Amino acid sequence: MKLNLDKDKKYILGCSSGPDSMCLFSLLLKEKCDFVVCNIDYNYRKNSIEETELVREFCKQNNVLFFTKSVQHLNIFHNFEAWARDVRYDYFNEIGNKLGIENVLVAHNEDDLLETYLMQKERKSLVTYYGLNRSYKRKNMIIYRPLLNYKKSDLLAYCKNNNVPYILDPTNSDTTYKRNYYRHLVVGKMSEKERDCLKKEIKDKNIELKKITDKVSKSIHLNTYFSKVDFMSLNDFESGILLSKLINKNGFLFEVSLGLVKDLKNAISKNAKSYTLKIKDNIILTFDYDNISLINKDSTYEFILNQSILSNKLFTINKDSKYFGNIKNSPIFIIKPAKLALNYKINNNLKKINRIFIDYKMPKFIRNIYPGIFNENGELIYLPRYRKNFILTKDSLLIFNLENLINLIEKK
């Protein structure tokens, strides 16, 4: 078994105590790859501590840096798998940011690929990829699946033949779970010929899907929005792929249905002024004015400048602006989202920030991150004038590139 990984890169291995990830752990050691291990104890099973300790001990024996996080799933009405996935990848991102690692390895295998595709077919999912992609981007991480060419039985055999320790998840045998049903009663009973036929079907479907995805992706701007006109001009399937591409661009893994597409098109056709759909706790899909966009309500940033340093890679305070005199007495300038201030004075009139944004006809996805200059007392002392085409003039006090700002927010 070979991984064919770039050995010049450093990796985070997402590792439970199961045979799949422990097999990947052993192969990384054999191929002398540079990696650290991240483990999550979900406290979902009685022996979860035992599972974490097995991974910890294997790391200790092989001098591999080990990180673990213990979490508790409290909301019984929440989709556990979706919640666990978010916890897992957020933790990978946290450790990756600390260590300067952007490459993550997960141990999905060929059986996982086939199961996923069959469930997609049953649900008639609108997806941006059928089955499992070998690599994809989530926030500022690149996720790799180097074991997709190997069956689950191959990984189990490897662990047994190489004395690699592992613990089997007892819930994996419960066929009342949809994935386990496909794992044991469908994929597990397939012949080699049937597996090959299904893999070819997946490959052909992805070739067809890529043509559609390439076509509709041109409509997405700044990875954040597309126009209502473009959305309405596509057929429902293409519109669904466009919507999936926008929503899932950062790995949110929200399943778009044709029902949702029709609901959104119906709202636009009836000239609804606004539309909001919760994707997850902090992510919403919305439309207003001309655009349909994705908003992260938790997006934030803060930069501190002073009289001697008036610029950084993202912002410049323009000393030549006619408005510079209004702020020259401030010892420091704090640049952060203007929405964090409740009010702003325009022509000696105090106006609510949200009202100003509405007057500017500013799209909601821009309102969430639009910058302002604050003084050391937390008062908003300058708000750049927004225009539809967003052209900053020579008199603009705060100079920045909106695309660069959006890219910065996405990487956090």
Side-chain angles (χ1 to χ4, degrees), residues 9 33 89 133 219 249 254 281 288 303 315 334 355:
K9 292 180 178 177
C33 293
Y89 284 101
N133 211 335
S219 299
K249 68 188 175 67
F254 180 89
D281 291 344
D288 57 351
F303 294 93
F315 296 105
I334 302 167
R355 182 69 253 171

Side-chain angles (χ1 to χ4, degrees), residues 10-14 35-40 65-69 87-104 140-141:
K10 190 165 185 175
Y11 300 93
I12 290 173
L13 168 63
F35 70 102
V36 301
V37 166
C38 281
N39 165 272
I40 301 287
L65 203 56
F66 173 74
F67 298 90
T68 188
K69 181 175 186 175
V87 168
R88 183 163 61 248
Y89 284 101
D90 286 348
Y91 187 52
F92 295 161
N93 194 58
E94 177 189 337
I95 297 301
N97 287 337
K98 283 182 181 178
L99 302 180
I101 304 174
E102 62 178 18
N103 307 297
V104 175
N140 60 334
M141 301 180 298

Side-chain angles (χ1 to χ4, degrees), residues 125-139:
S125 304
L126 291 170
V127 297
T128 52
Y129 195 86
Y130 288 112
L132 296 171
N133 211 335
R134 294 189 180 278
S135 65
Y136 69 97
K137 190 169 184 181
R138 182 186 171 104
K139 292 188 178 179

Side-chain angles (χ1 to χ4, degrees), residues 10-245:
K10 190 165 185 175
Y11 300 93
I12 290 173
L13 168 63
C15 188
S16 67
S17 61
D20 302 355
S21 57
M22 292 303 291
C23 172
L24 181 51
F25 193 153
S26 175
L27 288 169
L28 289 168
L29 292 172
K30 274 192 176 182
E31 297 189 15
K32 295 182 169 55
C33 293
D34 190 0
F35 70 102
V36 301
V37 166
C38 281
N39 165 272
I40 301 287
D41 178 1
Y42 300 105
N43 291 289
Y44 201 59
R45 295 187 295 275
K46 291 180 180 179
N47 65 335
S48 63
I49 295 177
E50 178 187 343
E51 294 169 350
T52 295
E53 289 308 308
L54 183 145
V55 180
R56 186 196 305 274
E57 183 58 29
F58 201 64
C59 286
K60 185 178 179 181
Q61 291 171 10
N62 293 283
N63 296 313
V64 175
L65 203 56
F66 173 74
F67 298 90
T68 188
K69 181 175 186 175
S70 178
V71 293
Q72 194 76 43
H73 184 250
L74 300 176
N75 186 350
I76 61 173
F77 300 106
H78 198 287
N79 182 316
F80 174 80
E81 285 190 4
W83 169 82
R85 183 174 53 240
D86 286 341
V87 168
R88 183 163 61 248
Y89 284 101
D90 286 348
Y91 187 52
F92 295 161
N93 194 58
E94 177 189 337
I95 297 301
N97 287 337
K98 283 182 181 178
L99 302 180
I101 304 174
E102 62 178 18
N103 307 297
V104 175
L105 302 174
V106 291
H108 293 128
N109 57 66
E110 185 181 282
D111 292 50
D112 295 315
L113 183 153
L114 300 180
E115 295 157 14
T116 299
Y117 174 64
L118 290 171
M119 288 192 292
Q120 289 170 339
K121 279 185 74 173
E122 180 184 323
R123 293 193 299 258
K124 297 181 180 178
S125 304
L126 291 170
V127 297
T128 52
Y129 195 86
Y130 288 112
L132 296 171
N133 211 335
R134 294 189 180 278
S135 65
Y136 69 97
K137 190 169 184 181
R138 182 186 171 104
K139 292 188 178 179
N140 60 334
M141 301 180 298
I142 303 173
I143 316 299
Y144 295 96
R145 297 181 172 113
L147 297 180
L148 286 184
N149 287 338
Y150 299 104
K151 294 182 287 187
K152 177 82 171 183
S153 57
D154 296 329
L155 309 184
L156 278 165
Y158 175 91
C159 288
K160 290 175 182 176
N161 294 335
N162 292 274
N163 296 316
V164 178
Y166 64 86
I167 297 175
L168 289 173
D169 179 355
T171 63
N172 282 344
S173 60
D174 184 352
T175 54
T176 58
Y177 292 102
K178 183 65 71 176
R179 181 173 288 278
N180 289 344
Y181 167 80
Y182 278 110
R183 176 170 297 162
H184 297 291
L185 301 180
V186 183
V187 174
K189 294 182 179 297
M190 282 183 173
S191 65
E192 286 298 321
K193 185 177 180 180
E194 288 171 327
R195 292 175 75 106
D196 288 342
C197 285
L198 192 56
K199 285 189 287 184
K200 184 180 185 305
E201 181 180 327
I202 295 171
K203 182 179 179 181
D204 291 343
K205 291 279 283 185
N206 277 320
I207 290 171
E208 180 184 339
L209 182 61
K210 187 176 186 304
K211 293 177 184 177
I212 299 172
T213 303
D214 288 346
K215 171 188 172 182
V216 303
S217 292
K218 295 173 184 176
S219 299
I220 299 178
H221 305 286
L222 302 179
N223 284 331
T224 305
Y225 72 95
F226 52 78
S227 74
K228 290 180 183 176
V229 172
D230 285 347
F231 183 69
M232 297 296 282
S233 69
L234 300 170
N235 64 45
D236 286 352
F237 183 79
E238 291 173 335
S239 295
I241 298 303
L242 174 60
L243 201 53
S244 292
K245 187 72 176 175

